[in-house]
Amino acid sequence: MAIANVTIVGLGLIGSSIARAVGERLPLVTVTGHDASADVREQARALGLCDRIADDAADAVAAADLVILAVPVGRMADAARVMAPGLKADAIISDVGSSKAGVADALAKALPDHIVIPAHPVAGTENSGPAAGFATLFEGRWCIVTPGADASADAVATLGGFWEALGAKVETMDPVHHDMVLAVTSHLPHLIAYTIVGTASELEEVTESEVIKYSAGGFRDFTRIAASDPVMWRDVFLANKDAVLATLQRFNEDLTVLQQAIRRGDADKLEDWFTRTRAIRRSIIAEGQDDAAPDFGRKH
Ligand code: NAP
């Protein structure tokens, strides 16, 4: 199935990056954009993000072969319901939400007569809004597609081909498994960063100006993640509650192991653990999922 018209609903970091990437890599595809916020629609027009920005959601999707919902996870069902009257019967509806099982359920209920194939491009930054996006965001990154059991192979292949055209590598996964994997690789790290940065700012013995002044000791790397969009992340934790709580339980147990090792002066335990984690960092670099430059390539 060929895609001639794509509509992106939600023109923040991810939606605007898709629009830019389609503009650069699929110049024959017409892109229509819509956002619930009039201010965001104005910014998108000023940035020239899409061929057309529609004020009305149903109008935005009227010609679409593929619709991508790029709104916070908790807003997916609303966004789907509002656009539903405008959808073509054979349009493929997908999304980019960071959790998948709940979104898949919500979209299936909101659009019972349409082809829904959820997906998650595992790519992002701590910034949000239409100005924050960029065309190369998905290059070399994974896009996980989580089709339901009844999804047509043709439609899944069409969606996968779209993401590959934007430079992503595509993998298909069960939505519940996706949520468990992402709880470990993304959601728990964000929770830990939000915790550390919050804790540091409330310590009585260390002043806030000292925390900022000496942040190069490790703290500042957590602050990048802890600066991520509050609404998006509120919704991710609410939507992926079970997997996050299960992973957090394991994390707490492992933290206790390290706590005991420090208290007991167990040097071997600490060194073994840190040697294993360093190997994981090296594997990520070897896979091309991060840069090998020291200190994340910061200029000194
Ligand atoms: P963002 O920059 O905040 O953009 C979301 C946009 O959607 C905002 O302009 C928002 O407008 C708009 N919106 C909210 N509800 C809407 C609705 N019902 N209809 C139309 N537009 C609506 O967020 P983002 O970072 O692009 O995230 C979007 C999605 O991508 C989320 O589901 C997130 O889980 C997923 N994702 C994010 C990342 C990342 O690193 N950021 C990575 C992968 C996937 P208002 O601001 O006025 O509400």
Side-chain angles (χ1 to χ4, degrees):
M1 178 181 168
I3 294 172
N5 294 286
V6 174
T7 295
I8 302 161
V9 176
L11 296 170
L13 169 73
I14 301 295
S16 73
S17 295
I18 297 172
R20 289 176 169 98
V22 173
E24 280 194 10
R25 289 170 160 264
L26 296 169
L28 299 180
V29 172
T30 301
V31 185
T32 304
H34 170 73
D35 196 287
S37 154
D39 180 43
V40 171
R41 293 198 299 271
E42 266 330 295
Q43 288 182 57
R45 284 189 184 106
L47 289 164
L49 279 184
C50 303
D51 297 298
R52 183 170 80 94
I53 302 288
D55 289 336
D56 177 78
D59 169 42
V61 300
D65 308 305
L66 171 65
V67 178
I68 300 193
L69 297 172
V71 303
V73 164
R75 307 286 296 275
M76 293 286 178
D78 274 355
R81 264 191 290 273
V82 177
M83 73 179 186
L87 285 171
K88 293 201 294 191
D90 60 350
I92 298 173
I93 322 304
S94 189
D95 76 300
V96 295
S98 304
S99 68
K100 292 275 58 93
V103 170
D105 265 6
L107 290 182
K109 281 189 187 118
L111 302 169
D113 303 322
H114 286 90
I115 306 164
V116 175
I117 304 176
H120 174 205
V122 186
T125 74
E126 66 278 25
N127 300 319
S128 35
F134 51 98
T136 54
L137 178 63
F138 310 109
E139 280 178 14
R141 301 284 166 249
W142 286 98
C143 180
I144 303 174
V145 180
T146 62
D150 56 347
S152 97
D154 239 21
V156 175
T158 300
L159 182 66
F162 173 78
W163 279 106
E164 279 169 359
L166 303 195
K169 302 186 278 188
V170 173
E171 185 131 309
T172 304
M173 208 180 272
D174 168 76
V176 174
H177 186 64
H178 164 279
D179 288 354
M180 191 48 93
V181 173
L182 268 291
V184 178
T185 59
S186 172
H187 307 170
L188 186 64
H190 276 78
L191 193 66
I192 293 167
Y194 283 127
T195 313
I196 291 177
V197 175
T199 304
S201 70
E202 280 171 16
L203 284 176
E204 280 98 35
E205 304 82 359
V206 181
T207 66
E208 199 166 311
S209 68
E210 284 173 316
V211 168
I212 292 165
K213 188 169 163 187
Y214 302 117
S215 62
F219 181 73
R220 70 179 181 191
D221 291 337
F222 285 100
T223 61
R224 184 190 70 73
I225 298 179
S228 298
D229 192 78
V231 172
M232 172 194 151
W233 282 97
R234 176 200 68 190
D235 282 6
V236 169
F237 289 117
L238 296 178
N240 201 21
K241 178 177 164 183
D242 293 345
V244 168
L245 291 179
T247 315
L248 190 58
Q249 173 70 29
R250 269 299 295 270
F251 174 78
N252 281 329
E253 287 166 17
D254 289 344
L255 195 59
T256 304
V257 169
L258 288 180
Q259 192 181 1
Q260 273 177 355
I262 294 169
R263 192 183 315 112
R264 291 173 184 163
D266 188 343
D268 289 346
K269 179 98 207 159
L270 293 173
E271 193 177 331
D272 285 354
W273 197 289
F274 302 158
T275 303
R276 193 157 54 84
T277 57
R278 172 180 264 196
I280 290 172
R281 168 77 189 157
R282 289 179 174 157
S283 313
I284 289 169
I285 292 164
E287 277 273 315
Q289 294 301 310
D290 204 356
D291 203 290
D295 203 9
F296 300 100
R298 285 191 178 100
K299 292 190 186 75
H300 292 286

